[in-house]
């Protein structure tokens, strides 16, 4: 069973034990390089198939690429806002939300819980693949999914960098400040990580409370 929520005095860098079972606990920790090792080959394979098997040219790839990346930013925003910050009332629901995302807010500098475990990501991707392949005409679901995965990887490593690197370039510094304000100074807003686009569209780009 998951452990209780940690005390507020606990260091943000310290890792929280979530499960008494050592196997489940070990599965809840992920090395940051893991998503790249798992999902980049999948995206590359899908793109190679798009070109060599399905004969999709550069213009088609560019169009479906933009669609896949923009769709990822919407998924990133929607999952973060409506699932990871779901205001659960039941004890089971609150525990679910805490395991998925609340633990990150309690210890945002925990390096082993900044990316999603591959098993959980694979389950979500399986559902999304069924959706993409049923909505998009053949064979566009494959390159669309590839670019969607690339968007996810960009998000993962921007998220990691906002917590662990200084990010001195003006654009990256903006993204770091934007995400840190979600954690510490903009309650109920700033749900994007790789882009503030959908916060602007849906009015959740709230000003921070103070500096």
């Amino acid at each position: 069973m998951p452990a209780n929520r940690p005390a507020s005095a606990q260091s943000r860098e310290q890792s929280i034990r979530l499960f008494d079972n050592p196997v489940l606990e070990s599965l809840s920790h992920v090395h940051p390089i893991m998503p790249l090792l798992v999902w980049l080959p999948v995206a590359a394979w899908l793109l190679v198939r798009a070109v060599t098997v399905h004969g999709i040219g550069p213009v088609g790839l560019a169009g479906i690429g933009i669609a896949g990346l923009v769709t990822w930013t919407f998924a990133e925003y929607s999952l973060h806002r409506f699932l990871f910050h779901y205001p659960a009332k039941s004890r089971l629901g609150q525990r679910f939300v805490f395991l998925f995302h609340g633990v990150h807010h309690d210890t945002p500098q925990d390096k082993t819980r900044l990316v999603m475990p591959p098993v959980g990501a694979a389950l979500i991707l399986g559902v999304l693949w069924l959706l993409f392949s049923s909505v998009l005409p053949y064979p566009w679901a494959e390159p669309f999914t590839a670019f969607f995965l690339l968007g996810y990887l960009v998000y993962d490593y921007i998220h990691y960098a906002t917590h662990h690197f200084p990010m001195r370039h003006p654009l990256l510094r903006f993204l770091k400040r934007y995400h840190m304000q979600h954690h510490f100074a903009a309650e109920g807003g700033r749900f994007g990580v790789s882009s503030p686009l959908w916060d602007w569209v849906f009015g959740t780009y709230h000003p921070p409370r103070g500096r």
Side-chain angles (χ1 to χ4, degrees):
M1 295 292 290
N4 292 330
R5 199 179 177 98
S8 59
Q10 184 167 4
S11 168
R12 296 190 188 101
E13 289 78 17
Q14 187 174 349
S15 186
I16 300 170
R17 186 175 182 88
L18 294 178
F19 299 97
D20 293 329
N21 184 293
V23 176
L24 291 177
E25 177 64 20
S26 66
L27 291 175
S28 74
H29 295 273
V30 184
H31 192 283
I33 199 65
M34 188 59 67
L36 192 68
L37 297 178
V38 172
W39 299 117
L40 186 59
V42 174
W45 177 70
L46 290 172
L47 289 175
V48 168
R49 279 180 53 84
V51 174
T52 61
V53 176
H54 304 307
I56 298 175
V59 175
L61 280 181
I64 201 69
I66 292 171
L69 292 172
V70 172
T71 302
W72 162 255
T73 64
F74 181 72
E76 170 193 314
Y77 174 88
S78 300
L79 288 170
H80 193 184
R81 180 180 179 182
F82 297 111
L83 180 61
F84 296 158
H85 284 272
Y86 178 71
K89 298 294 188 290
S90 69
R91 181 178 175 84
L92 181 62
Q94 290 171 356
R95 183 167 293 169
F96 174 83
V97 171
F98 180 72
L99 289 175
F100 260 82
H101 192 64
V103 62
H104 171 58
H105 274 266
D106 275 14
T107 55
Q109 300 304 103
D110 185 347
K111 293 182 178 181
T112 64
R113 289 202 173 108
L114 277 172
V115 298
M116 182 172 288
V119 173
L123 292 174
I124 294 174
L125 182 63
V127 174
L128 290 174
W129 168 252
L130 292 176
L131 175 63
F132 297 159
S133 58
S134 63
V135 171
L136 295 171
Y138 180 86
W140 294 99
E142 291 188 14
F144 181 90
T145 302
F147 283 104
F148 186 89
L149 281 172
L150 292 176
Y152 163 68
L153 289 174
V154 169
Y155 149 81
D156 250 353
Y157 291 108
I158 287 177
H159 188 210
Y160 185 87
T162 59
H163 285 278
H164 290 286
F165 294 105
M167 301 179 76
R168 293 187 176 89
H169 185 278
L171 175 60
L172 297 178
R173 188 165 61 245
F174 164 79
L175 290 176
K176 181 180 180 74
R177 186 181 300 115
Y178 165 64
H179 185 59
M180 290 300 103
Q181 287 169 345
H182 166 76
H183 273 274
F184 303 113
E187 293 263 344
R190 304 202 174 203
F191 295 107
V193 174
S194 62
S195 167
L197 170 64
W198 300 106
D199 279 307
W200 291 333
V201 170
F202 293 113
T204 51
Y205 192 84
H206 301 327
R209 305 187 311 270
R211 298 186 63 176

